Amino acid sequence: MPVELPVPLVVRYRAVDRETVGSALVDTPSHLDALAEDIARNGIRTPLRLGFCEDFGTLDGNHRIPVALRLGLTTVPVTVVREPSTPRPAHARPMRAADFAVLAAAAGE
């Protein structure tokens, strides 16, 4: 079940900043513009996914999170999922202890 998490926490675990690094799959600037218009009208309808363990976090939502920043959102809906510590994905970001406590609580641990 998704929970609302602070944008500053979630953004720490993105793989890339899509405002500065494009995607080979879409025209990133126009995609982000269209997504921003949709989210401004309808909110984030598909929660982001934040996988986590004591060592790292990984975010699925690297297009939605820059839009949340553009729009000045303070929280975003996130599905929080406990991940095994191995194998560590190449795009994983180091987990902060304070973030781990928040994510573990959000996951119902």
Side-chain angles (χ1 to χ4, degrees):
M1 172 159 299
V3 296
E4 289 288 321
L5 291 178
V7 169
L9 183 156
V10 176
V11 77
R12 284 194 280 272
Y13 298 99
R14 67 182 170 187
V16 296
D17 178 354
R18 287 291 179 215
E19 292 284 9
T20 59
V21 178
S23 169
L25 304 176
V26 297
D27 173 2
T28 302
S30 65
H31 175 70
L32 292 178
D33 290 344
L35 190 56
E37 287 178 27
D38 182 63
I39 290 173
R41 271 192 313 270
N42 304 303
I44 296 176
R45 293 179 285 179
T46 302
L48 293 79
R49 181 189 186 279
L50 184 52
F52 77 102
C53 69
E54 291 87 350
D55 298 326
F56 63 82
T58 61
L59 180 67
D60 177 9
N62 289 300
H63 292 100
R64 287 164 283 170
I65 200 66
V67 168
L69 290 167
R70 276 187 187 188
L71 297 175
L73 302 180
T74 57
T75 64
V76 289
V78 179
T79 301
V80 180
V81 180
R82 177 66 97 127
E83 301 284 357
S85 60
T86 59
R88 182 186 177 117
H91 63 278
R93 299 287 182 238
M95 179 56 59
R96 295 183 179 189
D99 292 351
F100 178 79
V102 170
L103 296 172
E109 298 180 11

